[in-house]
Amino acid sequence: MSIRIVAIDKLKCEKELELKEVFEKMDEILRVGGVKEPIIVDSRFNVVDNIELYEALRRLGVKLVPISQKKASLYLSLESLGFYDEIYPEPLRVFKSTLELLYRNWPTPLVLLRSLSTDERRVWAKLEGFNPFSGSVKDRIGWFMFINAMKKFGGTYKKFVYEATSTNTGMALAAMAAMHGFKARFYLPITIQKASDVLLKVIGADVVRVPKQLTVEFIDDVERNAKRDKTLHLNQFENDANFEVHLRYTAKELELQIREAKIYPAAIIGGIGTSGHMSAIAFYFKNRFRENIEIYGVQPAKDHSIPGIRRVETGMKWIHWVKFNGVIDTERNEAVREAINIARKEGILIGLSSGAVVSGFKKLSSEGKLDRGDVILIFPDHGFKYVEQFQEYLQKHE
Ligand code: PLP
């Protein structure tokens, strides 16, 4: 058999590799911008060799793959393999389900922030608050972790999902649970605003407040409870679907957006919680742009709490697999103030971690960095959940 191009869904593979095992292969594919060899299959389309290539391409979301029964060399670009075909927004914005409203509404908007731009520098914000369930970037992982688990585990578990969350993943999973006839229970730290309990309950979930500062402090307890009660625990902190969904959709759609708008990003800045979205963006863009792009994370300053983000040393998975150019500390008041500044200058209400991203950007800018070219800020959520923090800030400072 010579080399053929077939739909990736036709192939069967007995072995499933871990994300870490195919990381280097994905790195190479993104760097090269295509593939250099076929997947080796038998006459029944079972993958018998180059499993790494198959697994890497599957995770990167290509539609087509080259196959052969013998090793060979070739070059096929990502475009020709339908790499970008998954991003297909509904042009007239009529959706056949609330689930479609999520993935056929992507890309989330990328908007020029005139208040932060100068003649030499344009600052763009990617507004993850436009996701429908939690008004946040976490809708993406809630969807992907949930559908992956359904494919993998089917009816093995009770139709009940437990998760430690600082709200957004909870709201996203509560939506997925509601749509699929599941119940949901979320464990929140005491540092999170009270409004979250109401929001989560409205979407049908139980809420348990844990007397700890950070979600990561009680993941093991949630895991134990889930095992005891035989419920699903997707564990956003460890679940590679978290990284993968951002690689396959968030980063990919952002590349399409900047290509279309002729944006040449010098830097991308975003907040880090599980580190899922910024690690995937770093991995994707560092490979596609050959290191010509700087990636910065933003974390809360020591002893400061900013919902959704936390300090790298509190433990996170994917950030250690990729390269960042720096991680910037931001105080809580700075984050709230910058969210308010954006609202007052740009008219959009953004969340506190988005405010932290603006603050991080301003710190880099005040060091003389990023004063030329395009800069992209990832704003993880909408501001509607943070009325309590906004109120407290206004009472103290105005
Ligand atoms: N900002 C907000 C508001 C969040 O809810 C989260 C995650 O929970 C983040 C930032 C951090 O995102 P990630 O977990 O992908 O690092």
Side-chain angles (χ1 to χ4, degrees):
M1 182 178 80
S2 51
I3 297 164
R4 288 172 58 192
I5 311 289
V6 299
I8 193 166
D9 295 342
K10 274 195 158 183
L11 305 192
K12 290 165 279 206
C13 187
E14 275 196 357
K15 204 164 144 198
E16 193 176 313
L17 302 177
E18 293 289 321
L19 175 68
K20 195 70 204 278
E21 296 176 87
V22 296
F23 217 62
E24 259 179 48
K25 195 44 125 186
M26 293 200 307
D27 192 304
E28 178 195 309
I29 295 167
L30 289 176
R31 219 164 354 93
V32 169
V35 294
K36 297 190 293 189
E37 55 188 338
I39 297 165
I40 311 298
V41 297
D42 64 15
S43 56
R44 293 181 171 172
F45 292 102
N46 292 305
V47 178
V48 292
D49 203 352
N50 286 359
I51 296 179
E52 255 181 37
L53 175 63
Y54 166 73
E55 283 281 271
L57 288 170
R58 185 176 68 77
R59 284 189 159 86
L60 288 168
V62 301
K63 221 171 172 178
L64 302 168
V65 284
I67 57 162
S68 174
Q69 287 182 339
K70 283 201 306 248
K71 296 240 177 203
S73 54
L74 48 80
Y75 181 77
L76 286 167
S77 69
L78 284 173
E79 268 96 344
S80 70
L81 298 177
F83 176 68
Y84 295 105
D85 292 5
E86 287 187 309
I87 315 289
Y88 63 119
E90 177 52 62
L92 293 179
R93 307 176 57 69
V94 177
F95 303 97
K96 298 199 186 73
S97 68
T98 46
L99 199 57
E100 258 198 11
L101 178 62
L102 177 71
Y103 59 83
R104 298 223 44 198
N105 206 19
W106 292 336
T108 51
L110 186 65
V111 61
L112 183 68
L113 298 179
R114 303 180 77 109
S115 64
L116 297 178
S117 299
T118 63
D119 288 345
E120 286 81 37
R121 175 189 70 205
R122 295 184 298 178
V123 179
W124 304 84
K126 187 158 175 65
L127 302 180
E128 288 298 302
F130 275 68
N131 282 305
F133 307 132
S134 61
S136 90
V137 69
K138 292 297 186 170
D139 279 12
R140 297 176 186 265
I141 74 160
W143 169 68
F144 207 58
M145 293 195 307
F146 195 91
I147 59 166
N148 276 0
M150 287 306 97
K151 268 191 224 147
K152 219 168 169 174
F153 306 119
T156 335
Y157 288 90
K158 213 189 265 178
K159 285 192 153 195
F160 209 137
V161 59
Y162 290 0
E163 186 75 22
T165 170
S166 59
T167 304
N168 284 330
T169 302
M171 289 178 75
L173 284 176
M176 291 303 291
M179 280 179 239
H180 292 84
F182 270 60
K183 290 172 84 173
R185 176 171 302 157
F186 300 114
Y187 296 81
L188 270 70
I190 41 167
T191 42
I192 297 299
Q193 62 282 348
K194 294 191 201 83
S196 296
D197 295 29
V198 181
L199 293 169
L200 289 165
K201 284 179 189 166
V202 168
I203 323 174
D206 301 339
V207 178
V208 179
R209 284 281 178 165
V210 184
K212 298 265 166 70
Q213 303 287 309
L214 295 173
T215 41
V216 276
E217 295 175 62
F218 49 84
I219 310 167
D220 291 346
D221 300 329
V222 176
E223 176 65 16
R224 214 170 303 117
N225 291 355
K227 278 221 170 92
R228 182 196 61 205
D229 301 341
K230 298 194 171 47
T231 67
L232 195 59
H233 175 213
L234 295 168
N235 192 359
Q236 58 172 325
F237 306 93
E238 292 289 331
N239 189 328
D240 286 332
N242 179 343
F243 179 92
E244 286 179 36
V245 74
H246 293 304
L247 185 69
R248 196 162 149 178
Y249 296 94
T250 323
K252 200 185 281 185
E253 72 180 44
L254 180 57
E255 187 194 9
L256 289 178
Q257 289 176 303
I258 64 179
R259 271 212 239 162
E260 180 163 300
K262 299 202 166 33
I263 296 168
Y264 305 98
I268 304 180
I269 309 173
I272 40 183
T274 63
S275 85
H277 77 276
M278 283 311 293
S279 300
I281 286 173
F283 181 70
Y284 190 95
F285 282 93
K286 289 272 185 192
N287 282 309
R288 300 290 281 152
F289 286 63
R290 299 176 206 281
E291 310 278 333
N292 286 335
I293 186 163
E294 298 192 340
I295 308 284
Y296 294 95
V298 177
Q299 64 179 2
K302 267 212 160 78
D303 302 322
H304 284 252
S305 138
I306 301 174
I309 59 174
R310 58 194 165 83
R311 296 185 63 75
V312 175
E313 72 253 21
T314 58
M316 39 190 78
K317 186 173 183 182
W318 305 281
I319 200 167
H320 303 292
W321 299 5
V322 296
K323 274 194 216 146
F324 274 65
N325 294 79
V327 176
I328 307 141
D329 281 12
T330 292
E331 295 184 5
R332 180 185 171 97
N333 270 347
E334 294 172 322
V336 183
R337 187 172 64 236
E338 294 303 349
I340 293 173
N341 278 342
I342 291 290
R344 289 180 181 175
K345 291 192 177 131
E346 302 280 355
I348 52 167
L349 196 56
I350 58 169
L352 306 188
S353 65
S354 309
V357 171
V358 176
S359 164
F361 160 73
K362 286 192 172 172
K363 285 179 187 183
L364 286 166
S365 174
S366 71
E367 291 167 15
K369 290 181 187 149
L370 313 182
D371 49 7
R372 249 161 232 291
D374 289 297
V375 178
I376 295 173
L377 311 181
I378 311 291
F379 285 175
D381 74 349
H382 193 279
F384 70 85
K385 295 172 209 103
Y386 306 107
V387 173
E388 291 159 44
Q389 289 94 334
F390 286 132
Q391 187 182 29
E392 187 193 314
Y393 183 93
L394 294 178
Q395 276 169 353
K396 262 197 208 149
H397 299 275
E398 294 190 1

